[in-house]
Amino acid sequence: MTPDSEVNKPVIIKVNAHIYGLDTVDPHLTLLEFLRESLHLRGTKQGCGTGDCGACTVIVATGEAPNESRHAINSCITPALAVAGKQVITVEGIASDQGLHPVQQAMVDSNASQCGFCTPGFVMSLVDFTASNKVSETSSRSDVIATIGGNLCRCTGYRPIVEAGLIACSTSSDTDLAHLRISQEESRLLAKSESIEGYIKVDSESAFLDELNTSEPGSRLILSGGTDAWIEVTSRLLKYDKIIDISDVATLKHIGVQDGILSVGACTTLSRLLSFFSAGACRSEAMVNLLKRFGSKQIRNRATIGGNLCSASPIGDLIPALLVLEATAVLTRANGSRILDLEEFIEGYRKTALAKDEYLSKISLSIPESWSSFAFRKLSKRYEDDISSVSIAVFLLHDNVRINEIRIALGGAGDRALRLFEVEKIILGRRLIDIDWKAVSDTLDRTIFPISDVRASADYRQSMAIASIKEMVDQFFLSSSGS
Ligand SMILES: Cc1cc2nc3c(=O)[nH]c(=O)nc-3n(C[C@H](O)[C@H](O)[C@H](O)COP(=O)(O)OP(=O)(O)OC[C@H]3O[C@@H](n4cnc5c(N)ncnc54)[C@H](O)[C@@H]3O)c2cc1C
Ligand code: FES
Ligand code: FES
C-alpha cells in the first residue's frame, strides 16, 4: 500500500515495486542520476554517458496488465522527468520470491560475467527481450545478438552472454515480471503526475503551441526522444529555462495511410516505424534493414522520426531515405500549417526552416508502387549502434533495359544530406552498360565536399559514395525487380 504522503505530490514515478511521490526533481537531472544518486539504486551503471555502451539500460513500463508496454532505454540520455507517470524497472527489481529472474540465472549458469560492470545492462536488455517478445525456444542466435547490439562488454566476451540469452529464451515466461505489474490503483496514481516548473510535459498539440508561443528558442528545449538533444545537456552542460517534452502527445505519434499517402507523426519512435514496416500492406524490407541499422534497440525505443529530421544532422540516416522518397514535412503553428519538401526543410548543418513559433507535426510520402524500387546503404565503423560515415539512398525504376526514373541522396558528404540531381541526370534514360561512371565520379568530385574526421577520411567517403552508387544501381538490374 502506498502511503498518502507519497502520492499527494506533483511528480509520481513507480520504480520497481515502489511508488515514489516527489515535490520536485531537477529538470536537468538524468534518469541514471536519479536512480543512482536520489534512490541509491546503484545496480544501473554509467559507462559512456552518451547512449553507446548500454551499461545504464533500464526498462520503462506503462499500462496495466495484460496491456502493459515495456521498452529498454538508455537511462544516461533520458531526463528523469521523462518517466514521470511511468514505471522504471531496474536490475534490482527483477528477481522475485521465486528467485533470480531467468535471465540472471542464465547469466550465472553460463559464466557470462567477469568484472560485472556491463552485466546489469545486458541483463536488462535481455529481460526486455524475453518479457516483451513472447520468445520461445525458436528465438535464434541472431535475435539475441540484435537484442544486445546496444551493449558493450570489455572483458567477458560475447559468446557466453549470447548463450545465456538463448537459455533465457527457453526458461523465461510471461509471469517473470508479474510482481512488478502496474495495478489499476497505481495506474490511476501515475496518471496524476504533473509537470513542474522548468519541465513541461505537454499532452496535446494545443498545449505545445501555448508553450512555444510563451518561450524563446534559446531558453527552451523541445524534447522528443532526447537521444540527440539530451546529449547536449549532459555533455555540454547546457541549461534551459524550460524543457518542453512532447513525447506523449498522441496526435504526434499517429501513423496513417490514406489514398496511397503515408503520414507519420513527428513523435513516432523508430521502434514503432520498424514494426510498421515489418508487416502489413506497407511491408518494406529495405526500410526494415535501414531501421535495424539505426542505433540500438534502446535508442530506437526513444528516438523519433521528427527528432531525426529536426536535428538536421548530415549523418541522420532517415534524411537521405526520405529525400529519395520525396517526403514532405508539415510545419504547424497557431494559425495553420505549411508543407515543405525535405530539401527546403533542411537548410544547412543542423539548421531547419522551422520558425520559432512552429514545430514539425508530421512527415508524408507517396507509398511507392513497389518498395523494391528503394534501396539504402549505410557504411559505419561498427555494424551495431553506430552512426554513418556515409549513407546512400537510391530510388530507381527500370524496364529491364533503361532507367526510367532515378533519385539518389547522400549523407555524410557535406554540411547536410543532399539529393544528387546532377548525377541523376547522367544516369536517367540510360542502359546500364551506357552509364558514364567516369562522368558520375567527376561530378561527385565537383559537387560533394566530405570532411575527414574520426569516423572516416574525406577520400574514403568520396570513394565509397561513388562505389556504392554504382553497386546499388547494378543491384537493381541484377535482382531484376525494379520495374
Ligand atoms: C548512441 C546513439 C546512436 C545513434 N544512432 C543513430 C543512427 O544510427 N542514425 C541516426 O540517424 N541517428 C542516430 N543517433 C542520433 C539520434 O538518435 C537521432 O537523430 C534521433 O532520431 C533523434 O530523435 P529524438 O526523438 O531523440 O530527437 P531529440 O533529441 O528529442 O530532438 C532532436 C532535435 O530536434 C528538435 N525536435 C524534435 N522533435 C521536434 C518537433 N516535432 N518539432 C520541432 N523540433 C523538434 C529538438 O528540439 C532537438 O533540437 C544516435 C544517437 C545516439 C545517442
Ligand atoms: S552509460 Fe553508456 S549507454 Fe548509458
Ligand atoms: S564483464 Fe566486465 S565489461 Fe563486461
Side-chain angles (χ1 to χ4, degrees):
M1 191 64 191
T2 308
D4 285 350
S5 57
E6 292 279 285
V7 297
N8 286 329
K9 304 275 172 107
V11 178
I12 304 175
I13 303 177
K14 182 174 180 185
V15 180
N16 297 323
H18 189 84
I19 294 262
Y20 292 88
L22 304 152
D23 285 316
T24 188
V25 175
D26 176 353
H28 294 89
L29 196 73
T30 67
L31 176 56
L32 178 63
E33 289 164 333
F34 174 70
L35 294 171
R36 287 180 59 86
E37 308 308 329
S38 308
L39 303 187
H40 305 291
L41 292 172
R42 298 209 165 106
T44 308
K45 303 286 186 263
Q46 166 143 7
C48 60
T50 52
D52 292 290
C53 76
C56 64
T57 303
V58 297
I59 294 173
V60 173
T62 50
E64 294 160 35
N67 298 318
E68 66 261 79
S69 124
R70 299 195 186 103
H71 297 292
I73 62 157
N74 298 114
S75 59
C76 69
I77 52 169
T78 302
L81 284 165
V83 300
K86 300 182 179 173
Q87 180 191 29
V88 181
I89 301 175
T90 72
V91 73
E92 288 88 351
I94 54 175
S96 68
D97 293 345
Q98 317 298 314
L100 291 179
H101 186 281
V103 168
Q104 292 174 302
Q105 191 59 54
M107 292 288 278
V108 174
D109 295 343
S110 308
N111 294 317
S113 179
Q114 284 191 33
C115 78
F117 193 83
C118 68
T119 309
F122 275 99
V123 166
M124 294 314 290
S125 289
L126 289 168
V127 168
D128 175 50
F129 178 58
T130 55
S132 38
N133 292 276
K134 309 232 176 323
V135 290
S136 67
E137 288 169 39
T138 57
S139 290
S140 68
R141 182 170 288 272
S142 60
D143 293 333
V144 173
I145 291 172
T147 296
I148 57 172
N151 294 80
L152 295 177
C153 174
R154 284 291 170 254
C155 52
T156 303
Y158 296 97
R159 190 194 51 75
I161 302 174
V162 174
E163 292 306 322
L166 283 166
I167 293 170
C169 287
S170 55
T171 52
S172 295
S173 82
D174 282 359
T175 55
D176 294 331
L177 296 179
H179 61 293
L180 297 180
R181 279 183 180 149
I182 301 172
S183 68
Q184 244 182 23
E185 187 202 357
E186 288 173 336
S187 189
R188 273 198 299 271
L189 286 177
L190 289 167
K192 288 186 182 165
S193 190
E194 299 163 8
S195 293
I196 59 163
E197 198 183 337
Y199 195 103
I200 314 295
K201 210 167 191 186
V202 291
D203 57 5
S204 67
E205 289 185 66
S206 58
F208 182 16
L209 279 170
D210 287 346
E211 295 302 333
L212 277 186
N213 289 324
T214 51
S215 57
E216 286 300 315
S219 64
R220 70 174 183 223
L221 174 66
I222 300 169
L223 199 85
S224 190
T227 59
D228 189 75
W230 203 252
I231 307 253
E232 299 284 302
V233 172
T234 54
S235 306
R236 292 178 51 209
L237 307 180
L238 295 186
K239 298 274 183 209
Y240 297 92
D241 294 343
K242 193 193 279 185
I243 295 162
I244 310 169
D245 183 333
I246 58 172
S247 59
D248 281 340
V249 179
T251 53
L252 293 179
K253 298 202 264 192
H254 180 73
I255 305 183
V257 179
Q258 201 177 4
D259 301 331
I261 305 290
L262 170 65
S263 297
V264 182
C267 291
T268 305
T269 64
L270 301 186
S271 291
R272 205 149 152 254
L273 265 189
L274 182 51
S275 306
F276 177 78
F277 283 116
S278 298
C282 281
R283 202 185 171 298
S284 160
E285 209 180 310
M287 286 306 281
V288 166
N289 290 338
L290 184 174
L291 290 162
K292 282 188 172 168
R293 293 289 314 279
F294 194 114
S296 59
K297 276 201 174 175
Q298 293 95 314
I299 292 291
R300 294 193 295 270
N301 283 339
R302 293 266 307 152
T304 62
I305 182 171
N308 199 247
L309 297 192
C310 293
S311 58
S313 161
I315 45 175
D317 283 333
L318 297 183
I319 302 172
L322 292 172
L323 279 171
V324 301
L325 292 169
E326 297 189 315
T328 54
V330 180
L331 285 60
T332 300
R333 54 158 53 117
N335 56 4
S337 294
R338 59 184 176 130
I339 300 175
L340 293 185
D341 290 341
L342 228 51
E343 282 95 356
E344 297 169 277
F345 179 71
I346 311 270
E347 291 189 333
Y349 181 75
R350 291 196 167 267
K351 190 169 178 331
T352 68
L354 281 167
K356 69 176 192 170
D357 58 347
E358 273 179 327
Y359 63 93
L360 176 65
S361 52
K362 66 179 176 188
I363 295 94
S364 301
L365 58 97
S366 296
I367 300 169
E369 228 163 83
S370 161
W371 277 103
S372 57
S373 40
F374 167 74
F376 178 81
R377 179 173 290 187
K378 167 172 178 167
L379 301 168
S380 57
K381 279 180 116 170
R382 182 172 168 248
Y383 187 83
E384 277 99 9
D385 198 4
D386 201 1
I387 46 182
S388 299
S389 304
V390 188
S391 59
I392 306 104
V394 180
F395 183 92
L396 188 149
L397 292 175
H398 67 82
D399 55 13
N400 283 322
V401 181
R402 283 176 202 284
I403 295 169
N404 299 323
E405 204 170 325
I406 182 152
R407 298 192 285 275
I408 308 173
L410 189 61
D415 69 344
R416 70 188 97 165
L418 290 174
R419 265 288 291 279
L420 302 178
F421 292 107
E422 287 197 45
V423 171
E424 292 170 10
K425 269 193 211 146
I426 297 171
I427 298 177
L428 185 66
R430 304 267 163 202
R431 298 184 305 167
L432 193 57
I433 48 163
D434 292 337
I435 298 172
D436 184 347
W437 288 108
K438 167 86 172 56
V440 170
S441 178
D442 291 346
T443 305
L444 283 179
D445 283 344
R446 221 173 7 84
T447 52
I448 65 169
F449 306 98
I451 55 160
S452 293
D453 64 13
V454 286
R455 284 196 184 83
S457 67
D459 279 352
Y460 173 84
R461 288 187 158 108
Q462 191 88 17
S463 311
M464 292 319 291
I466 170 77
S468 299
I469 292 169
K470 180 167 185 332
E471 214 179 299
M472 289 168 81
V473 168
D474 285 351
Q475 196 61 43
F476 279 100
F477 281 84
L478 283 175
S479 58
S480 201
S481 52
S483 52

